Every structure is written in C-alpha cells, then in structure tokens.
Amino acid sequence: MADRWVQNHQQDSWRRQAKASGYRARSAFKLKQIQEKHKLVSPGDSVLDVGCHPGGWAQVAVELVGESGKVVGVDLQSCVPVEGANLIVGDITDAHTQSAVLESIETEVIDVVVSDISPHITGKWDIDQAVSLMLVAEVFDFSLPILKYGGHFVTKIFQGVGVEEMIDLVKPHFKFVKRFSPMASRNSSSEVYLVCKYHTPKKGPDWKIKPAFERALEEREGGLMPDEEVEPAKSTFVVKRKSKE
Ligand SMILES: C[S@@+](CC[C@H](N)C(=O)[O-])C[C@H]1O[C@@H](n2cnc3c(N)ncnc32)[C@H](O)[C@@H]1O
C-alpha cells in the first residue's frame, strides 16, 4: 500500500514537472536522464525517434540536436506537430512506412536512433513482454543498415524471457551495450532501456537480429516438455528502487 502511494506520488511528480516544462509526456524525462548519463545525442545530429507519440521524446530530441540537426519520428498514432521534427504516421515494421522514414531522413545514414516503442498492452504480461521484444528486434533490423558507423541506439525493453539472448545478439553490432533504468521509469515497472553505443556494423549474411532471436528462443524452448515454463536466463541487472524527493 505504502509502496503504491510512493510510486503514484513519484509518477504525479514527473507528470507535474512535464506539464510545467512544456513537455507532452513524463517520458520526456526518461530521454533527458538517458542523455545525461550516456550522452547519445550531439548538436547537429540526425535522430530517428521510433514510437514517438505523443511527442515528448521528439521535443527533447529537437532541443538536443539544435537548429542544425534533424529529427524524424514515427508512430502508429498521429501526433500534434512538434516544431523542428517531422513526425510520420505508420507502422515501423511496414515497408511503406519504412520508405517514408527513409525519404524523410534524406541522408544515407543517421546518427542516433531512440526508440520508446511499446506494443498495445493486453495486460497479459508474458505476451506483452514477448511482443515487445519482437518489435525491438524489428526496429534493430530496420535501423542498423542506416545507423552510421559509431552511431548510437537506445530502446525500451521489458525485463523477462529473451532479454539476455537479445543482448547477446546486439553486442557484436556495438562497442558498448548496457541496460539503464532512468529515475523517471516507474519503480514497479520492469521497463529498462538498452543503451547501445558506437555502432560497429556486423558484416555477413546473418547480421539480422530478428531471425537469430527467433532461433535463439526456439532453441531455448526446444528442450522443454509442453507445459514446462520457460525460465528467464540469469541476469545480474537489477532495477533499483528510486527515491526522487
Ligand atoms: C510509450 S509510447 C512512446 C512515448 C514517446 N516516447 C513520448 O515521449 O511521447 C510507445 C509508442 O509506441 C508506438 N508503437 C507501438 N507499435 C508501433 C509500431 N509497430 N510502429 C510505430 N509505433 C509503434 C505506440 O503507438 C506508442 O505511441
């Protein structure tokens, strides 16, 4: 009960701060805190914001890149325009939307991809978490070919089955891959951000994350009896309780 009160109080506090600062969503503070710790975006950068509705991260990205930079966002839902950003409506896994994004980026490569993508939450945790990781794999596969050498990528993930496998698959593409839990993420949530820095493109036919991820999950489930539960692989990452005030 007390925990829930503290959690609600903290969420309200971020919401109030977002309103006072002119941000559309408290999630804006998550990107600000990721940036503070990991310095992903620099002035003049081009940034792709995946899952950008209602536009909180796009607002922060526009501030970070400044006038010489570029921000392109994409979401299933349309956003009220954000000055300085081009926000596209569509499904990032759909070829038409991907073409629209590439057209809007204009350059051959992009400096940073920030993805807060989250599927429609059904409330069935296992399903939501699994669908979320598949979406993340698709965002990687779309983004990696257009992410510049040395570029950065951050994505929301939900802790659970498959996360360790995903991280193992992503590591060969970047020099630095680490989970980070910003203060503005809810205490009770298993939401964390996977911060990937210094893109070092993996060459060869098997560079894609999604097919390899599906294979890794199949292998993990292969040895199980039909009604055995899949245990998440062991992780040393712990989301610490946060006290903000
Ligand atoms: C947590 S919200 C993003 C909040 C945003 N970062 C902000 O600060 O305003 C997650 C978003 O992912 C979007 N999304 C989910 N699946 C998607 C898909 N396949 N393509 C594009 N956007 C998607 C949802 O519509 C939702 O708006």
Side-chain angles (χ1 to χ4, degrees):
M1 193 73 168
D3 275 2
R4 193 171 311 149
W5 184 87
V6 171
Q7 186 191 322
N8 287 340
H9 177 71
Q10 285 177 350
Q11 282 180 40
D12 284 350
S13 158
W14 289 116
R15 227 171 264 134
R16 275 197 305 276
Q17 280 194 51
K19 210 169 170 192
S21 329
Y23 294 123
R24 294 179 186 178
R26 72 186 173 90
S27 52
F29 290 103
K30 298 179 194 173
L31 183 57
K32 280 172 94 70
Q33 289 159 8
I34 293 167
Q35 170 70 10
E36 212 173 288
K37 171 84 180 165
H38 291 288
K39 314 270 181 292
L40 300 180
V41 183
S42 304
D45 274 353
S46 50
V47 174
L48 172 62
D49 176 9
V50 183
C52 62
H53 179 272
W57 278 31
Q59 289 177 298
V60 174
V62 165
E63 284 171 13
L64 294 172
V65 301
E67 281 188 7
S68 56
K70 185 175 187 72
V71 176
V72 174
V74 58
D75 201 290
L76 295 171
Q77 303 180 63
S78 70
C79 302
V80 172
V82 170
E83 206 183 325
N86 184 13
L87 306 180
I88 294 164
V89 183
D91 179 344
I92 188 63
T93 66
D94 174 85
H96 293 294
T97 308
Q98 293 179 351
S99 302
V101 169
L102 294 177
E103 226 169 84
S104 179
I105 289 170
E106 285 171 332
T107 48
E108 267 183 24
V109 286
I110 195 141
D111 297 304
V112 184
V113 176
V114 295
S115 172
D116 198 20
I117 199 164
S118 177
H120 172 69
I121 300 294
T122 66
K124 291 193 172 132
W125 170 246
D126 297 1
I127 295 172
D128 293 340
Q129 194 260 348
V131 172
S132 160
L133 273 184
M134 275 306 167
L135 259 181
V136 168
E138 295 207 46
V139 174
F140 269 116
D141 287 350
F142 170 65
S143 306
L144 289 174
I146 54 164
L147 184 62
K148 79 166 183 191
Y149 187 96
H152 309 315
F153 185 112
V154 62
T155 181
K156 179 177 10 229
I157 52 170
F158 294 104
Q159 287 281 84
V161 173
V163 165
E164 304 304 321
E165 284 84 351
M166 171 75 75
I167 291 175
D168 284 348
L169 290 169
V170 167
K171 275 184 174 169
H173 294 269
F174 294 90
K175 284 190 183 154
F176 173 101
V177 176
K178 233 182 173 142
R179 276 166 281 200
F180 176 65
S181 171
M183 285 272 282
S185 279
R186 290 171 206 182
N187 263 333
S188 65
S189 165
S190 65
E191 166 189 285
V192 291
Y193 288 85
L194 192 62
V195 177
C196 310
K197 291 182 77 175
Y198 314 115
H199 185 213
T200 48
K202 187 181 165 193
K203 302 260 169 18
D206 61 343
W207 65 270
K208 282 195 172 190
I209 302 290
K210 192 179 171 207
F213 182 58
E214 285 171 336
R215 277 197 303 277
L217 290 188
E218 271 167 29
E219 273 169 29
R220 162 195 261 285
E221 284 166 22
L224 293 175
M225 299 300 285
D227 49 3
E228 264 184 297
E229 295 266 316
V230 180
E231 284 283 321
K234 285 214 163 33
S235 166
T236 51
F237 184 84
V238 179
V239 177
K240 294 198 187 96
R241 292 209 158 271
K242 304 167 189 93
S243 55
K244 186 174 142 291
E245 292 170 326

